[in-house]
Amino acid sequence: MKKALYSGSFDPMTNGHLDIIRRASRMFDQLVVGVIYNPNKQPLFTLEERVEMIIDATSDLPNVSVDDFSGLLADYVNDNHFDAVVRGLRATSDFEYEIQMAQMNARLFTPGTESVFLMTSPEYSFISSSMIKEVVSLNGKVEGLVPDNILREIKKKNLGGLSL
Ligand code: COA
């Protein structure tokens, strides 16, 4: 049974992330979405809110579960015996950072654990969580770019005074 991790801040999760989750869930027996708690970042959504929103948005995917972690990704991966870590690549600009991270992680992972890259579908290649928050804060429409349940939660936050 092959088990993979898809990790990130997901502040909030976008349809670009969901696209990667759907596709990765077809490649592995089990996919865990790992939401990172980073004490140095001030997220818009709390860790609990981010986890809840992803559980809701992935409820139709039976082999997908959601967890949270903090600290070194490789420790979480090794402790939980993942076979692979999935990452989405949107543009060549993502590549520089991703290859550094993958090569560092390769030293830290239990031998045999792989980083696996999926190319983001073109309709989502320009999306990032920060851009979603910026557009909403300026009253722009992000319908179709984030799952509906997450759109509702974003609208509940007062983003007018958000400094990004
Ligand atoms: N669709 C839409 N947006 C995407 C995307 C996709 N397929 N893939 C990435 N993004 C966006 C995210 O929305 C995020 O946008 P933002 O910067 O506006 O918030 C941005 O790209 C970066 O996302 P991501 O690469 O997932 O970074 P992250 O900070 O959310 O999480 C970790 C990256 C968790 C994998 C990494 O920081 C980590 O491993 N941390 C643990 C500490 C550690 O082990 N460090 C050593 C690593 S070698």
Side-chain angles (χ1 to χ4, degrees):
M1 194 173 105
K2 293 288 182 194
K3 183 167 92 157
L5 173 72
Y6 179 51
S7 64
S9 307
F10 305 110
D11 185 41
M13 183 176 81
T14 69
N15 278 345
H17 295 128
L18 190 56
D19 169 59
I20 300 286
I21 292 170
R22 286 191 187 285
R23 289 162 54 202
S25 73
R26 293 195 287 268
M27 296 168 60
F28 296 94
D29 300 298
Q30 200 189 338
L31 180 73
V32 177
V33 181
V35 185
I36 191 159
Y37 170 69
N38 181 347
N40 301 319
K41 276 194 180 174
Q42 282 290 323
L44 174 64
F45 291 100
T46 66
L47 185 67
E48 293 73 22
E49 288 172 327
R50 285 178 276 151
V51 167
E52 277 307 313
M53 289 189 294
I54 300 170
I55 290 175
D56 202 6
T58 57
S59 59
D60 62 321
L61 301 170
N63 64 336
V64 173
S65 59
V66 188
D67 193 13
D68 63 80
F69 73 101
S70 60
L72 193 66
L73 177 95
D75 284 342
Y76 178 71
V77 168
N78 295 340
D79 291 348
N80 292 282
H81 309 291
F82 285 101
D83 298 288
V85 173
V86 174
R87 301 286 296 163
L89 282 181
R90 290 165 300 169
T92 49
S93 50
D94 282 345
F95 181 79
E96 292 282 333
Y97 172 62
E98 292 296 337
I99 192 165
Q100 274 190 323
M101 202 160 62
Q103 289 175 344
M104 177 60 83
N105 278 331
R107 296 175 61 93
L108 302 171
F109 286 162
T110 305
T113 306
E114 289 288 349
S115 292
V116 172
F117 297 91
L118 295 182
M119 299 300 162
T120 300
S121 300
E123 62 267 41
Y124 304 125
S125 63
F126 62 94
I127 306 176
S128 72
S129 300
S130 302
M131 196 175 281
I132 295 291
K133 288 180 280 191
E134 180 172 352
V135 172
V136 173
S137 74
L138 298 169
N139 298 318
K141 287 197 185 309
V142 294
E143 272 76 0
L145 302 182
V146 294
D148 290 345
N149 70 306
I150 293 179
L151 185 61
R152 283 194 296 277
E153 295 305 318
I154 298 175
K155 285 179 174 172
K156 283 187 202 162
K157 300 265 176 190
N158 179 11
L159 289 184
L162 185 71
S163 82
L164 296 155

